Amino acid sequence: MCGNAPFYKMQLAPEESAPANNQLRTSTGYEEPLPKKIEETRSREHNTAQQKSNKCNRLRMASSVLRKSMMLGPFRQKNASIFSSALDHQQMAPFSNFASRSRRRRVSKARPARAPKGIAVCCRDMDDLSLVTLGGTGNYPAQKEILKRHIMATDRHGSYDAACEVFSKIEEKNYEWMKVTALPFQISIVAAFSAGIISIPMVFHLPTVEYFNEHFVTAEHPPPKELETSLEVGSWSWNWMEPVLGTSTFILLCLQYMRVHLSHLGIQPYTHRMKSLRGLRLADEFPHYNKDLLIAYSEASPFYNPQKLWI
């Protein structure tokens, strides 16, 4: 006999006889009969399968009761004993948390969205780190709030209102000479709007085209049959309007191209240059405040006060 072989592969030696009561002999002694072991194994497998089946049945029953209880709504609260008698507390325990989460989810969807308590809804409510981060992007309200807090820290004012009064003086000084510096922008706006409006009748309106041709162009007048519609008038006036409009468009394109390369060289355009000069003047007027903060505020602020846009 091989002592290490499994019990179902063991064979009796020729000189040995079978032991009593149908037992198999091994190197360690006698073992239980083979059919009994197989029967116990099958019994354990059957019990395991039965337990799994019972567990699945309990799960189905619990889920069915849970769905019914969710659909019934108020009726479930008044008749809770009907559902509690179907399953004991131990069987329903795994589903109690799920039911409570489902109810909370439905309630949260039904309620309107609310802002959490303590959330910063404006720059005044932000902490210093968030405010400095937002101000670094050039945000004007953030720069205003940073300067106000700097005024409080420098002057040691006890209230926020006192710092706002000082800031009002700084803001007034910031826009002191902006009427003169904003004059080129206002002239450009009026000129561009007027040129766009005037170009329409000078191309398509026959009396305007004839007057302009008579005093400035002196081109040959076509027959009246060829000037019956506005498009025919535009075809005639385009002979002298095309060079004017095309050349002006090309000039604007060249100026824009030149401005891009000036910024690449670090040369500030007119707007940025005026804002920098305004910031330096503001820093000279209030030397006891931080120069960099005053310049950053002046550059982030609009070029001209929106409340006093026109002279």
Side-chain angles (χ1 to χ4, degrees):
M1 285 291 293
C2 181
N4 297 328
F7 69 90
Y8 56 86
K9 291 187 178 181
M10 295 180 182
Q11 299 180 359
L12 295 174
E15 65 276 11
E16 294 180 352
S17 59
N21 62 24
N22 197 20
Q23 291 179 341
L24 296 179
R25 190 173 185 178
T26 61
S27 61
T28 58
Y30 294 99
E31 294 184 355
E32 296 180 356
L34 180 61
K36 187 176 181 180
K37 279 186 169 294
I38 295 175
E39 183 178 357
E40 290 181 356
T41 302
R42 290 178 178 175
S43 178
R44 285 195 298 270
E45 293 177 353
H46 177 73
N47 294 336
T48 304
Q50 188 66 25
Q51 292 176 1
K52 291 182 179 179
S53 178
N54 295 337
K55 185 177 181 180
C56 291
N57 292 335
R58 290 196 300 269
L59 291 174
R60 293 193 196 98
M61 187 175 180
S63 60
S64 176
V65 173
L66 185 60
R67 287 195 299 269
K68 292 179 180 179
S69 64
M70 289 180 179
M71 290 186 294
L72 289 177
F75 177 77
R76 176 175 54 84
Q77 300 177 357
K78 297 180 181 179
N79 304 273
S81 59
I82 299 176
F83 304 103
S84 61
S85 60
L87 293 174
D88 56 351
H89 179 72
Q90 184 177 2
Q91 292 176 345
M92 288 295 296
F95 302 92
S96 60
N97 294 333
F98 173 78
S100 62
R101 287 197 300 269
S102 300
R103 288 193 297 269
R104 287 196 300 268
R105 192 179 298 113
R106 293 198 305 274
V107 171
S108 62
K109 289 182 179 180
R111 292 176 181 174
R114 294 181 179 179
K117 294 182 179 180
I119 189 172
V121 296
C122 62
C123 293
R124 184 174 179 178
D125 299 334
M126 290 183 179
D127 58 282
D128 294 343
L129 180 59
S130 302
L131 193 63
V132 171
T133 303
L134 183 61
T137 62
N139 185 270
Y140 176 58
Q143 291 289 349
K144 289 174 60 177
E145 184 63 26
I146 291 174
L147 188 56
K148 290 177 183 178
R149 296 186 185 184
H150 173 66
I151 294 172
M152 293 177 63
T154 304
D155 296 347
R156 304 186 184 275
H157 291 293
S159 63
Y160 185 80
D161 297 335
C164 291
E165 293 178 1
V166 178
F167 174 78
S168 299
K169 299 178 181 179
I170 296 177
E171 186 177 25
E172 184 179 356
K173 192 67 177 181
N174 185 47
Y175 293 115
E176 185 175 4
W177 294 98
M178 288 298 101
K179 290 183 179 180
V180 178
T181 55
L183 191 59
F185 296 101
Q186 297 175 353
I187 295 175
S188 300
I189 293 172
V190 174
F193 180 79
S194 302
I197 295 298
I198 293 174
S199 64
I200 297 176
M202 290 185 65
V203 176
F204 299 105
H205 189 240
L206 181 59
T208 305
V209 171
E210 290 178 342
Y211 178 83
F212 190 82
N213 177 50
E214 181 181 356
H215 292 82
F216 299 100
V217 182
T218 66
E220 183 179 357
H221 197 285
K225 187 177 181 180
E226 297 180 2
L227 301 175
E228 294 179 351
T229 62
S230 298
L231 296 179
E232 291 178 344
V233 174
S235 177
W236 174 46
S237 63
W238 196 247
N239 293 324
W240 61 82
M241 291 299 297
E242 182 181 9
V244 177
L245 297 179
T247 303
S248 60
T249 304
F250 182 73
I251 291 174
L252 294 176
L253 179 63
C254 292
L255 292 176
Q256 182 67 25
Y257 185 74
M258 180 183 67
R259 185 181 186 277
V260 171
H261 287 285
L262 287 176
S263 63
H264 290 169
L265 294 175
I267 302 175
Q268 299 176 349
Y270 176 78
T271 305
H272 195 276
R273 182 62 178 173
M274 291 295 102
K275 285 187 175 183
S276 299
L277 293 176
R278 182 178 64 178
L280 293 174
R281 186 180 67 252
L282 197 64
D284 294 338
E285 292 290 336
F286 301 92
H288 51 287
Y289 297 121
N290 186 274
K291 179 180 179 181
D292 296 332
L293 291 180
L294 291 172
I295 294 176
Y297 158 73
S298 182
E299 292 180 353
S301 60
F303 188 80
Y304 191 70
N305 193 349
Q307 299 177 357
K308 303 176 182 179
L309 184 58
W310 301 103
I311 297 177

